[in-house]
């Protein structure tokens, strides 16, 4: 048992033995390597996911912005002081990495980190929560204390994430089905259809890895195999998702499962010439009052590598017992937290709890089809509409009742500035979760400003998820598979007594409603006509006009919109013709003289002058699309060194902006604001980017290749 688990059965046979085990001296080398790596990654994270590089956009002084703190009394400091907060957090991370003023550095990091964390629920996710917990553990843990505490917590992260993936939607392959189309899964798609890649590799592989990773990393025999699969898994995640330093942090935790003295053995193999720049490899023991040292038995054998046992024994003190109690309670609390949602019922929506401490990573995917915010003047009765997301910088409020309540309260305080008195706020939000029907998540008839909400009571205006309709997802796939590439489809489910008001764009020239279940009444507003539809019936709705779909059956109705973007279809046909013409021009088979509006087709793909000078808007859009598709292809075919160079340059300018803006803020606090022109030039200098990024931002590139310019 000692060889496998690192302790004997007798070590847990009594309270005193357990306290001695939890305070057993252990080589701190492995934990020291992790501490250094964690500090480095958090220092980078401060400028990236924590947002130092764009802090002024988020916390600009005086901007009318609705925020979503965990506690409503929490507010951001003035902008310049927020830069100081981030600087303290960065210096704390740097101190953790270097081991310099260690306790103070940990305190600097976790105090500012949790303040930022609680300040904005919209930025919450599992790995951000994990960073804060690791920082807290490092602050209270001596590097030479028994390391099983840290190992056990990483085990919890993997194992609970696997248990959460036993959800039916994950097991059946609906949670992350879109991932199978990513280029990272191309090797699997060479031998399996994309549907099986999604079911077996994405969902099945993710489930098995999370459930078994902690066990496989713990045991010596399986650790090499686990290292390979866990490393492969996290490297893939770093490319699949925008999750900052999470993948690299989890990679840094893997060596914690090795013997505690592995760094000494590893670095001792390097030439002695490098000893001055490498960690110490000496086995010399440095006793700590935080450890319990047993009597040395000269006849004892088979000590687990990394376990240190000096001759001088130490007595068990109150702090050792207190530390053991805290450790046990903390581990139990971490097992309890992912299932504590029966207490904080107000935060439960279609998924339980605030997304962040549940470890249900990637189990739920959402898409939003329709969001409408209606206000009503409390005095005049005037009704108007707001842009979804007005006065806020996040979209997370659409899925969380607590945030929706905060948003409505904020809007009710801002709208009086625009002569709207005592406003009532109504939200009509349609969401699909894990490829189900689009349906309402909150009751659109409730004024959220006056609506009741409590963190400890169920949300009374949350609409139930229509899980009984989940089997329809198989039918959705059959219907979508029968359509051509130009036909789009949206599946809708609605509750009895409610209606959907919709406007059909003029671009959608062939839109129809097909009833799948229940009974609906379709009202064409301009024609003032009503049409009652039963399952199997369909009706064409006019483009450029409003219509309403009322659910008149006693049970929820299900129907689908089938439409063709005729404008896009015509544009793609024109693109095809222009492509064929351009190919004939370049291979010399085009004999007819070109009219002036088509002559820009003779230019090279990267000739921006021809693109700018094109008089025909379709030709101009075609040339722009050709150039950008060529650039995308060039990026995808770039070599490793070129990709690394592009990545490094992008990160350099991001980090550069964060620190330059921090320097400006500290100067402002120290000596006051400079003249406006000077401040403008300083910010412009901080905003400087590499020429390629200024010309073609990555996101714009991706959108336009996907025809978002339409």
């Amino acid at each position: 048992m000692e060889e496998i688990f690192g302790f004997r059965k007798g070590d847990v046979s009594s309270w005193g033995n357990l306290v001695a085990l939890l305070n057993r001296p252990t080589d701190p080398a492995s934990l020291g390597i992790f501490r250094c790596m964690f500090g480095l990654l958090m220092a980078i994270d401060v400028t990236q996911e924590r947002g130092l590089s764009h802090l002024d956009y988020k916390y600009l002084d005086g901007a009318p912005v609705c925020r979503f703190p965990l506690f409503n009394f929490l507010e951001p400091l003035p902008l310049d002081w927020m830069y100081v907060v981030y600087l303290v957090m960065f210096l704390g991370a740097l101190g953790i990495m270097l081991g310099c003023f260690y306790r103070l550095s940990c305190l600097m990091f976790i105090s500012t980190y949790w303040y930022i964390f609680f300040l904005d629920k919209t930025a919450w996710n599992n790995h951000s929560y994990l960073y804060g917990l690791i920082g807290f553990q490092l602050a209270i843990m001596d590097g030479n204390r028994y390391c099983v505490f840290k190992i056990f917590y990483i085990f919890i992260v993997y194992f609970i994430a696997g248990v959460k993936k036993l959800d039916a939607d994950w097991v059946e392959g609906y949670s992350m089905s879109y991932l199978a189309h990513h280029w990272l899964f191309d090797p699997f798609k060479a031998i399996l259809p994309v549907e099986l890649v999604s079911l077996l590799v994405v969902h099945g592989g993710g489930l098995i890895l999370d459930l078994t990773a902690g066990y496989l990393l713990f045991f010596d025999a399986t650790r090499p195999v686990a290292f390979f699969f866990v490393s492969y898994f996290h490297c893939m995640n770093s490319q699949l998702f925008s999750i900052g330093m999470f993948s690299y942090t989890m990679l840094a935790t893997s060596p914690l499962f090795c013997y505690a003295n592995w760094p000494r053995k590893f670095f001792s193999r390097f030439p002695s010439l490098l000893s001055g720049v490498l960690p110490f490899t000496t086995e010399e023991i440095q006793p700590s009052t935080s450890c319990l040292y047993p009597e040395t038995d000269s006849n004892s054998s088979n000590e687990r590598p990394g376990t240190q046992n000096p001759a001088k024994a130490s007595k068990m003190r109150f702090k050792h017992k207190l530390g053991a109690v805290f450790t046990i309670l903390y581990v139990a609390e971490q097992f309890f937290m992912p299932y504590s949602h029966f207490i904080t019922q107000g935060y439960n929506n279609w998924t339980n709890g605030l997304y962040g401490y549940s470890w249900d990573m990637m189990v739920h995917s959402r898409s939003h089809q329709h969001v409408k915010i209606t206000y009503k003047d409390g005095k005049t009765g005037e009704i108007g509409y707001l842009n979804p997301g007005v006065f806020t910088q996040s979209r997370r409020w659409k899925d969380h009742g607590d945030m929706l309540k905060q948003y409505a309260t904020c809007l009710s305080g801002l709208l009086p500035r625009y002569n709207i008195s005592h406003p009532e706020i109504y939200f009509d939000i349609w969401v699909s979760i894990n490829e189900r029907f689009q349906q309402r998540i909150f009751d659109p008839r409730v004024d959220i400003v006056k609506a009741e909400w409590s963190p400890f009571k169920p949300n009374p205006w949350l609409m139930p998820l229509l899980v009984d309709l989940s089997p329809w997802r198989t039918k959705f796939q059959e219907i979508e598979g029968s359509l051509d590439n130009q036909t789009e489809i949206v599946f809708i489910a609605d509750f009895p007594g409610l209606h959907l008001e919709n406007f059909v764009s003029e671009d959608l020239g062939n839109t129809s409603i097909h009833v799948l279940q229940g009974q609906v009444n379709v009202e064409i507003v301009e024609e003032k006509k009503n049409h009652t539809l039963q399952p199997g019936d369909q009706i064409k709705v006019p483009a450029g006009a409003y219509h309403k779909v009322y659910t008149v059956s006693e049970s929820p109705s299900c129907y689908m919109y089938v439409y063709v973007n005729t404008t896009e279809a015509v544009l793609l046909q024109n693109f095809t013709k222009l492509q064929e013409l351009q190919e004939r021009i370049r291979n010399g088979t085009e004999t007819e003289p070109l009219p002036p509006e088509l002559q820009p087709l003779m230019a090279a793909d990267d000739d921006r002058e021809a693109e700018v000078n094109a008089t025909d808007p379709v030709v101009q859009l075609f040339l722009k699309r050709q150039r950008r598709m060529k650039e995308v292809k060039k990026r995808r075919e770039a070599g490793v060194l070129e990709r690394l160079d592009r990545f490094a340059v992008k990160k350099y300018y991001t980090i550069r902006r964060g620190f330059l803006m921090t320097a400006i803020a500290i100067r402002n606090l120290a000596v006051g604001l400079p003249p406006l022109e000077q401040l403008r030039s300083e910010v412009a200098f901080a905003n400087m980017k590499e020429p390629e990024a200024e010309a073609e931002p990555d996101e714009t590139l991706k959108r336009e290749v996907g025809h978002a310019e339409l």
Side-chain angles (χ1 to χ4, degrees):
M1 183 172 180
E2 182 178 15
E3 187 171 342
I4 295 176
F5 294 103
F7 57 89
R8 300 182 179 92
K9 184 179 179 180
D11 291 335
V12 294
S13 62
S14 67
W15 171 244
N17 290 344
L18 180 60
V19 173
L21 174 66
L22 293 177
N23 291 275
R24 186 171 77 182
T26 303
D27 193 326
S30 179
L31 191 57
I33 294 295
F34 172 74
R35 169 191 56 75
C36 182
M37 293 300 299
F38 177 75
L40 172 63
L41 293 170
M42 291 303 98
I44 298 173
D45 180 79
V46 169
T47 65
Q48 305 288 309
E49 195 171 2
R50 293 318 111 202
L52 177 62
S53 61
H54 55 273
L55 198 61
D56 50 322
Y57 296 107
K58 190 171 185 178
Y59 295 112
L60 185 63
D61 292 339
V65 177
C66 295
R67 306 192 186 279
F68 306 91
L70 178 61
F71 307 106
N72 289 330
F73 63 82
L74 277 179
E75 293 184 359
L77 300 173
L79 178 60
D80 288 340
W81 284 105
M82 288 300 295
Y83 275 106
V84 174
V85 170
Y86 272 73
L87 179 61
V88 171
M89 182 164 53
F90 173 80
L91 292 176
L94 204 62
I96 292 174
M97 180 187 74
L98 299 174
C100 183
F101 302 105
Y102 179 67
R103 298 291 188 193
L104 176 62
S105 295
C106 288
L107 181 61
M108 290 168 60
F109 176 74
I110 63 173
S111 59
T112 51
Y113 185 92
W114 284 105
Y115 168 68
I116 297 298
F117 187 80
F118 288 143
L119 198 59
D120 185 13
K121 288 184 294 188
T122 66
W124 282 25
N125 49 44
N126 287 285
H127 61 266
S128 295
Y129 173 65
L130 175 65
Y131 297 161
L133 292 181
I134 292 177
F136 170 72
Q137 292 168 27
L138 289 175
I140 64 173
M141 183 185 299
D142 287 334
N144 56 352
R145 186 172 292 180
Y146 193 33
C147 198
V148 70
F149 182 37
K150 181 68 70 178
I151 294 175
F152 198 75
Y153 188 72
I154 301 304
F155 170 85
I156 291 176
V157 174
Y158 280 116
F159 184 72
I160 298 298
V163 172
K164 290 300 183 84
K165 286 182 173 62
L166 292 173
D167 180 87
D169 284 357
W170 184 278
V171 173
E172 295 174 10
Y174 290 109
S175 297
M176 292 281 127
S177 59
Y178 66 91
L179 288 183
H181 298 280
H182 196 279
W183 63 267
L184 280 171
F185 295 97
D186 286 350
F188 301 101
K189 286 182 282 189
I191 56 176
L192 293 172
V194 68
E195 293 81 8
L196 286 182
V197 171
S198 174
L199 182 62
L200 300 180
V201 180
V202 176
H203 293 89
L207 171 63
I208 293 172
L209 187 136
D210 278 337
L211 281 175
T212 62
Y215 296 102
L216 298 179
L217 283 168
F218 185 81
F219 297 109
D220 295 348
T222 56
R223 190 174 299 121
V225 175
F227 261 58
F228 172 78
F229 283 106
V230 166
S231 300
Y232 184 69
F233 174 74
H234 290 304
C235 288
M236 289 185 70
N237 283 344
S238 70
Q239 301 300 309
L240 289 170
F241 308 108
S242 298
I243 50 178
M245 298 293 108
F246 177 56
S247 298
Y248 311 110
T249 302
M250 293 306 294
L251 287 172
T253 65
S254 295
L256 289 173
F257 290 85
C258 300
Y259 290 113
N261 64 343
W262 73 263
R264 299 187 192 278
K265 292 185 175 181
F266 176 75
F267 290 112
S268 65
R269 298 176 182 177
F270 285 79
S272 58
L273 181 65
L274 301 176
S275 60
V277 295
L278 293 177
F280 293 115
T281 58
T282 178
E283 297 287 346
E284 181 180 352
I285 296 172
Q286 299 178 8
S288 170
T289 58
S290 297
C291 297
L292 280 176
Y293 299 99
E295 293 287 349
T296 303
D297 183 1
S298 58
N299 297 322
S300 63
S301 60
N302 297 327
E303 281 195 358
R304 186 174 177 87
T307 300
Q308 300 184 355
N309 189 10
K312 188 176 181 180
S314 57
K315 294 182 179 180
M316 185 180 299
R317 299 179 181 177
F318 176 74
K319 71 172 186 178
H320 297 125
K321 298 177 181 179
L322 183 63
V325 170
F326 176 80
T327 299
I328 294 171
L329 291 178
Y330 184 82
V331 171
E333 181 258 349
Q334 290 305 314
F335 270 115
F336 173 74
M337 281 293 287
Y339 301 97
S340 63
H341 310 302
F342 66 93
I343 298 175
T344 54
Q345 297 183 66
Y347 294 103
N348 297 342
N349 298 284
W350 288 348
T351 57
N352 285 334
L354 285 170
Y355 184 70
Y357 59 84
S358 300
W359 308 124
D360 50 354
M361 292 172 277
M362 306 302 172
V363 176
H364 307 105
S365 60
R366 297 174 176 84
S367 64
H368 298 81
Q369 182 70 26
H370 178 75
V371 179
K372 183 171 71 173
I373 305 177
T374 306
Y375 69 83
K376 181 179 180 181
D377 191 303
K379 283 188 176 180
T380 66
E382 177 188 0
I383 293 177
Y385 303 95
L386 300 176
N387 252 344
V390 65
F391 300 125
T392 185
Q393 301 165 332
S394 173
R395 297 176 293 179
R396 292 281 291 273
W397 55 268
K398 293 184 287 188
D399 300 309
H400 299 272
D402 58 301
M403 297 186 197
L404 200 73
K405 177 65 176 178
Q406 289 176 305
Y407 189 31
T409 303
C410 176
L411 289 176
S412 68
L414 291 173
L415 290 181
R417 302 182 186 180
Y418 303 90
N419 298 321
I420 302 171
S421 303
H422 308 295
E424 301 172 6
I425 309 292
Y426 302 88
F427 294 88
D428 194 11
I429 302 172
W430 293 74
V431 188
S432 168
I433 186 169
N434 291 347
E435 302 184 15
R436 290 181 173 84
F437 282 99
Q438 289 279 343
Q439 66 157 95
R440 288 181 166 97
I441 184 171
F442 302 112
D443 194 331
R445 299 163 295 189
V446 175
D447 173 17
I448 305 300
V449 177
K450 299 177 182 176
E452 293 184 1
W453 181 85
S454 168
F456 306 111
K457 297 179 181 179
N459 188 340
W461 31 274
L462 173 72
M463 305 294 280
L465 178 63
L466 297 172
V467 292
D468 293 343
L469 302 178
S470 297
W472 274 95
R473 290 180 292 191
T474 304
K475 185 66 174 177
F476 294 169
Q477 295 173 350
E478 297 176 4
I479 295 174
E480 290 170 341
S482 65
L483 302 176
D484 57 50
N485 293 332
Q486 294 182 343
T487 303
E488 301 288 343
I489 195 166
V490 177
F491 298 97
I492 304 291
D494 203 4
F495 295 91
L498 297 180
H499 73 275
L500 169 64
E501 182 180 24
N502 211 350
F503 177 83
V504 179
S505 169
E506 293 182 355
D507 293 327
L508 310 181
N510 187 18
T511 302
S512 57
I513 298 175
H514 301 242
V515 179
L516 303 173
Q517 177 178 305
Q519 182 177 337
V520 301
N521 193 336
V522 179
E523 176 188 355
I524 309 300
V525 177
E526 288 188 356
E527 299 177 2
K528 297 182 180 180
K529 292 182 179 179
N530 293 327
H531 306 270
T532 301
L533 303 181
Q534 304 286 346
D537 294 343
Q538 66 182 63
I539 184 174
K540 185 174 181 179
V541 291
Y546 280 95
H547 66 271
K548 298 179 181 179
V549 183
Y550 295 85
T551 297
V552 295
S553 54
E554 295 183 356
S555 59
S557 65
C558 306
Y559 52 94
M560 60 182 181
Y561 282 92
V562 182
Y563 60 95
V564 176
N565 190 326
T566 53
T567 302
E568 181 180 7
V570 172
L571 186 60
L572 290 176
Q573 291 176 1
N574 289 332
F575 280 176
T576 302
K577 294 178 181 178
L578 291 174
Q579 177 71 40
E580 294 172 351
L581 177 59
Q582 190 179 58
E583 290 178 358
R584 292 199 302 270
I585 292 172
R586 292 179 177 177
N587 60 29
T589 59
E590 178 61 36
T591 58
E592 297 293 330
L594 295 177
E597 63 271 16
L598 295 180
Q599 289 182 2
L601 295 175
M602 301 171 63
D605 289 338
D606 55 357
D607 188 347
R608 297 198 181 196
E609 185 178 351
E611 177 185 320
V612 173
N613 294 333
T615 58
D616 188 295
V618 176
V619 173
Q620 186 181 49
L621 191 58
F622 170 77
L623 293 174
K624 184 178 182 180
R625 177 172 176 266
Q626 291 292 97
R627 173 173 56 81
R628 300 205 167 187
M629 290 182 68
K630 183 178 179 180
E631 290 171 355
V632 168
K633 182 179 179 181
K634 180 181 177 182
R635 284 172 174 262
R636 289 177 177 172
E637 296 176 352
V640 175
L641 292 179
E642 185 178 346
R643 288 173 180 265
L644 287 174
D645 177 70
R646 190 166 63 232
F647 174 82
V649 170
K650 180 181 178 181
K651 295 302 179 185
Y652 163 75
Y653 280 98
T654 300
I655 296 172
R656 172 185 179 274
R657 185 184 193 278
F659 285 113
L660 286 176
M661 294 298 294
T662 302
I664 293 172
I666 294 176
R667 189 275 319 278
N668 294 344
L669 292 172
V671 300
L673 286 170
L676 185 60
E677 285 302 320
Q678 178 184 339
L679 187 62
R680 183 181 290 114
S681 63
E682 290 173 348
V683 173
F685 179 72
N687 287 337
M688 185 176 65
K689 298 180 180 179
E690 67 273 28
E692 183 180 356
E694 290 179 343
E696 306 294 348
D698 288 348
E699 292 303 317
T700 303
L701 196 68
K702 294 176 183 177
R703 288 197 302 268
E704 296 208 3
V705 170
H707 306 303
E709 72 271 19
L710 299 176

